[in-house]
Amino acid sequence: MIKIKRFRGNEEPFKWKHFEGEVILWLVRGYGGYALSYKDLQEMAAERGLSVNCSTIYRWVQEYGPELENRIKINFKKDV
């Protein structure tokens, strides 16, 4: 069973990461929102001058993907 992290309040979800939070969210959203593989995302990052391994992107998707999905669902419900 995968434990889902919940980020609330003043927590810093990207603390101790080697990349900026915007980069991490860009890659996680790229995987979740489009039909892109981890290798595709790695190549896209390399085109922008970022050296990131596809296994790192996988770990980010596992860590931040569920929380991002929950926040998108909550915002979608507010708009409807």
Side-chain angles (χ1 to χ4, degrees), residues 19-73:
F19 290 89
E20 294 289 327
E22 292 178 9
V23 172
I24 295 171
L25 290 177
W26 169 63
L27 292 168
V28 171
R29 185 177 181 274
Y31 181 79
Y34 305 99
L36 298 173
S37 68
Y38 296 117
K39 192 70 170 174
D40 292 337
L41 291 169
Q42 179 183 14
E43 291 173 6
M44 287 174 57
E47 289 173 358
R48 288 161 177 80
L50 300 170
S51 177
V52 60
N53 195 324
C54 55
S55 63
T56 301
I57 299 170
Y58 168 79
R59 288 193 309 270
W60 289 341
V61 168
Q62 298 303 309
E63 184 173 353
Y64 299 110
E67 180 66 22
L68 186 62
E69 183 180 10
N70 288 337
R71 290 183 186 210
I72 290 170
K73 285 180 182 179

